[in-house]
Amino acid sequence: MDLTPLKIVNVVGGRPNFPKMAPLLDAMAKVPRIQPRLVHTGQHYDYEMSRVFFEDLAIPEPDFFLGVGSGSHAQQTARVMVEFEKVLDREQPDLVVVVGDVNSTLACALVAAKLLVPVAHVEAGLRSFDRSMPEEINRTLTDHLSDYLFTPSKDGDENLRREGIPPERVHLVGNVMIDTLRRYEEAARAKRAAAAYGLAPRGYALLTLHRPSNVDNPAVFSRILDGLEPILQRLPILFPVHPRSRQRIATFGLESRIAALPTLRLCEPLGYITFLSLMMDARLVLTDSGGIQEETTALGVPCLTLRENTERPATVTLGTNTVVGTSPDRIRAEAIRLLAGDAPAGSLPPLWDGRTGPRIVEVLARHLHSPERSVERS
Ligand code: UD1
């Protein structure tokens, strides 16, 4: 048994990173020779966007908080890079682990690769083939900087193969976020969050919207509201509002339009367990998030994705997801079809079994021991 200590610097920055990192830290804590460090870049900083996830998911306090905050893509990415380089200089880790596709993911992968620190990317290989999404750029470049690419589904392996990534770097391990979902499913069920909002199980829809392509353009945002109207005549929709969308509603003067839709109920962004509880009891979820497409598939709840494409095709081919775009007619038609009971039954994609975190850590512990590694880096 190899007992050489392994120092692993793990990175989180934004809300979708937290449920992906929690199971990895849990699995690392069970391997005595792994010395994990946690870096929070501070890309997200509001209580509802960050702290509540640490509390809900029992994530340990970060060892380093970079406090980068918001800004343009270049500003945010650059600030993360400058601060993260200092952490790596100080820590001299054996590996950096990044998850997902936010700006912090790419920034830290780039810094590590330039310092010749091996990079592991969890949730590798996803492609929407839409370069207008900042996340598509982040995930593609991160994959090409990474030494260990952990994919959630076979389509990821296929995309990476097509891009010329050597297959020995790619490990199909399943979806790490589903580890978190399974772990907190009971707590979420017990919470019965719908009641706190005066909603009955299966008597409401849940909406999230924050993609720049949807909320930064007043015409598109407005079209989506048009598409919701016929749904709102049949059942209330609860809409936890992301800070970006909250700002755009104010800037575009959409408050009165929304106020005229009394069954569209806005609330603050929610913590993990509350939101999971609301998802599992929803009749229908409408979203432009990536992770929610996967969580609804894992829960067997119908999901309408308000985007023109998805980087998570397994949720459509195997799961409960339908990509409907943002045309009001299409949103209306698909929602009515679902509400009439014509919902995809859905099945769980392979390896979305709640055991992805340990699989990833097992691969890392097995590979990160070769003596030539120290030679490579010297
Ligand atoms: C980021 C990610 C996106 C992810 C989303 C989840 C990138 C490119 N995008 O988008 O992939 O799906 O997080 O939330 O990394 N703000 C606050 N409080 C916060 C954070 C942000 O008020 O805690 C406001 C700021 O005004 C900021 C805006 O929201 O300018 C957008 O935040 P930003 O981190 O730039 O991108 P997101 O839209 O959150």
Side-chain angles (χ1 to χ4, degrees):
M1 190 169 55
D2 187 350
L3 295 174
T4 332
L6 279 178
K7 191 189 273 188
I8 301 185
V9 166
N10 300 284
V11 177
V12 289
R15 180 170 66 175
N17 294 160
F18 305 126
K20 296 169 194 165
M21 185 52 72
L24 296 172
L25 294 174
D26 279 349
M28 286 182 198
K30 297 196 174 90
V31 181
R33 77 187 180 100
I34 294 185
Q35 300 170 354
R37 300 282 183 274
L38 182 60
V39 175
H40 186 337
T41 66
Q43 176 171 346
H44 285 168
Y45 42 84
D46 286 349
Y47 175 81
E48 298 84 6
M49 299 298 288
S50 174
R51 183 83 224 153
V52 66
F53 287 81
F54 279 72
E55 293 170 6
D56 276 6
L57 308 179
I59 301 175
E61 281 300 313
D63 300 285
F64 299 91
F65 183 73
L66 308 185
V68 301
S70 301
S72 70
H73 285 276
Q75 287 165 343
Q76 193 172 58
T77 309
R79 276 190 228 127
V80 174
M81 288 182 69
V82 170
E83 295 307 314
F84 189 64
E85 189 174 53
K86 295 177 195 163
V87 174
L88 293 194
D89 280 343
R90 188 183 138 169
E91 291 293 310
Q92 301 284 318
D94 297 288
L95 178 76
V96 166
V97 175
V98 295
V99 298
D101 53 19
V102 301
N103 285 342
S104 302
T105 308
L106 172 61
C108 294
L110 185 51
V111 171
K114 292 275 182 88
L115 292 176
L116 306 184
V117 178
V119 177
H121 184 207
V122 174
E123 201 185 80
L126 302 189
R127 296 291 181 269
S128 64
F129 305 102
D130 174 2
R131 284 276 172 109
S132 70
M133 287 178 78
E135 294 80 5
E136 182 73 355
I137 296 173
N138 290 342
R139 54 187 165 238
T140 306
L141 295 180
T142 302
D143 284 342
H144 285 258
L145 293 166
S146 295
D147 303 87
Y148 300 90
L149 294 97
F150 294 104
T151 54
S153 45
K154 270 207 323 246
D155 51 282
D157 294 48
E158 186 52 32
N159 293 332
L160 296 172
R161 192 192 56 74
R162 225 181 299 114
E163 292 175 17
I165 305 257
E168 59 275 15
R169 291 193 199 159
V170 180
H171 306 269
L172 175 60
V173 288
N175 190 328
V176 76
M177 222 175 46
I178 305 307
D179 292 21
T180 300
L181 183 143
R182 293 293 171 232
R183 175 154 181 198
Y184 292 99
E185 204 171 8
E186 274 321 301
R189 188 163 289 116
K191 186 151 192 170
R192 297 178 203 282
Y197 291 91
L199 300 166
R202 309 274 161 242
Y204 64 95
L206 190 58
L207 167 71
T208 79
L209 273 184
H210 74 279
R211 289 277 150 227
S213 57
N214 281 342
V215 302
D216 287 4
N217 178 332
V220 178
F221 204 153
S222 205
R223 264 208 333 250
I224 293 175
L225 293 174
D226 291 343
L228 298 180
E229 275 187 46
I231 309 172
L232 287 162
Q233 285 157 13
R234 292 170 168 80
L235 81 178
I237 300 181
L238 183 64
F239 177 20
V241 188
H242 184 284
R244 172 191 285 280
S245 314
R246 177 78 67 185
Q247 286 167 10
R248 299 302 183 263
I249 289 170
T251 316
F252 302 149
L254 288 170
E255 288 105 335
S256 52
R257 173 85 201 284
I258 288 173
L261 301 169
T263 47
L264 177 62
R265 296 178 35 195
L266 275 54
C267 66
E268 290 306 307
L270 301 169
Y272 183 81
I273 294 175
T274 303
F275 191 76
L276 179 55
S277 177
L278 285 163
M279 259 192 303
M280 62 176 48
D281 279 342
R283 177 86 181 273
L284 163 67
V285 174
L286 302 115
T287 192
D288 60 7
S289 146
I292 292 170
Q293 296 172 49
E294 300 179 333
E295 289 166 336
T296 45
T297 275
L299 293 168
V301 172
C303 177
L304 295 183
T305 293
L306 306 175
R307 285 173 41 189
E308 302 304 332
N309 50 53
T310 181
E311 60 288 333
R312 291 157 161 93
T315 61
V316 176
T317 52
L318 300 172
T320 57
N321 188 19
T322 312
V323 177
V324 294
T326 55
S327 118
D329 288 345
R330 182 91 201 278
I331 298 172
R332 181 184 316 129
E334 291 292 339
I336 286 169
R337 192 174 60 76
L338 287 182
L339 294 175
D342 183 11
S347 64
L348 213 52
L351 297 174
W352 292 26
D353 58 0
R355 295 197 293 272
T356 294
R359 273 198 287 271
I360 290 172
V361 172
E362 202 269 319
V363 170
L364 293 176
R366 187 153 35 89
H367 282 74
L368 279 167
H369 60 73
S370 56
E372 61 269 29
R373 187 168 47 88
S374 34
V375 176
E376 276 166 23
R377 288 186 52 200
S378 59

